Amino acid sequence: QSVLTQPPSVSGAPGQRVTISCTGSSSNIGAGADVHWYQQLPGTAPKLLIYVENNRPSGVPDRFSGSKSGTSASLAITGLQAEDEADYYCQSYDFRVNGAVVFGGGTRLTVL
Amino acid sequence: HVQLRESGPGLVKPSETLSLTCNISDGSISVYSWHWLRQPPGKGLEWIGYVYSTGKRDYNPSLRSRVIISVDSLNHHFSLHLTSVTAADTAVYYCARKTVAFDTWGQGTLVTVSS
């Protein structure tokens, strides 16, 4: 059972917009903890996609964006492409356990 | 840019100690925190713990009794030791650098716990 809750799967057709939610609680996201997002392509290590809610590392397309409200965060992907098919993880910190790193369970994005 | 590479045995017997090393390609070990994470086959990511070059460290409460993470700043590497392993510890183990987030990851190494 992950501290952060994500839908197991989402899907969309090429060109569409999809969103992935990440629900936490008052001890993590709701307490103001930073939220980061990672993309994991099949058979590879995770890659940082979005940091501190809505900042993109160099090289990440602006089709990817993040947001946060209350105890939840979201990742949005616009102009969906076949290469976006991957697992996506949100990550934050939980202040009940001394700021320990916590992850969502991951969301598998399928491009139809 | 910095590269990380995990090394260590791919097979460990139950009840023994899993030991891995992460080599850092540049001299940035003194600047950031260095982490171990793992991913059981077909499952999600789990944070194990971190260490700074100063020796400051912390661990996932669920693993704290079995984990030690150490650092060797002189040789640009840090290590993971996980004791009393069981089949539940079978996973791909990743080392990672954390600046604001985990911005650099190793390729990962699969460790299987089996007799």
Side-chain angles (χ1 to χ4, degrees):
Chain A
Q1 193 82 1
S2 301
V3 173
L4 306 177
T5 301
Q6 298 180 234
S9 63
V10 297
S11 63
Q16 285 189 332
R17 178 181 186 270
V18 296
T19 61
I20 298 173
S21 61
C22 174
T23 302
S25 69
S26 59
S27 64
N28 41 68
I29 299 175
D34 290 338
V35 178
H36 316 300
W37 291 90
Y38 302 87
Q39 177 193 59
Q40 187 175 31
L41 298 171
T44 69
K47 167 193 164 186
L48 180 61
L49 195 65
I50 296 285
Y51 64 95
V52 189
E53 280 77 69
N54 193 22
N55 295 277
R56 286 174 286 105
S58 174
V60 173
D62 60 7
R63 301 186 296 103
F64 295 91
S65 63
S67 63
K68 186 173 87 166
S69 178
T71 58
S72 295
S74 290
L75 173 70
I77 310 172
T78 59
L80 206 57
Q81 300 180 2
E83 67 208 48
D84 299 333
E85 189 158 288
D87 293 326
Y88 293 84
Y89 293 90
C90 61
Q91 180 250 304
S92 187
Y93 309 89
D94 200 295
F95 298 123
R96 284 179 308 180
V97 282
N98 200 31
V101 172
V102 292
F103 283 94
T107 299
R108 171 69 55 87
L109 168 62
T110 300
V111 180
L112 302 171
Chain B
H1 66 284
V2 66
Q3 292 184 314
L4 307 180
R5 180 176 292 273
E6 305 90 350
S7 61
L11 181 64
V12 181
K13 289 182 169 53
S15 80
E16 295 190 344
T17 296
L18 179 161
S19 295
L20 297 173
T21 296
C22 180
N23 286 283
I24 304 164
S25 65
D26 69 5
S28 64
I29 194 166
S30 62
V31 181
Y32 307 109
S33 62
W34 303 92
H35 296 246
W36 286 98
L37 305 97
R38 68 182 182 177
Q39 185 172 35
K43 296 188 178 180
L45 297 165
E46 180 180 32
W47 175 70
I48 299 172
Y50 74 82
V51 67
Y52 280 94
S53 63
T54 58
K56 177 182 176 180
R57 69 201 78 192
D58 199 9
Y59 307 125
N60 186 323
S62 69
L63 297 169
R64 182 171 285 133
S65 64
R66 299 194 292 129
V67 173
I68 294 176
I69 298 177
S70 58
V71 62
D72 181 343
S73 299
L74 197 63
N75 293 298
H76 306 296
H77 71 246
F78 63 107
S79 299
L80 168 70
H81 301 281
L82 181 65
T83 64
S84 305
V85 297
T86 69
D89 295 308
T90 294
V92 175
Y93 285 77
Y94 295 101
C95 60
R97 182 183 80 172
K98 182 175 175 294
T99 52
V100 175
F102 296 117
D103 67 345
T104 305
W105 296 67
Q107 63 186 16
T109 186
L110 174 63
V111 179
T112 301
V113 178
S114 176
S115 55

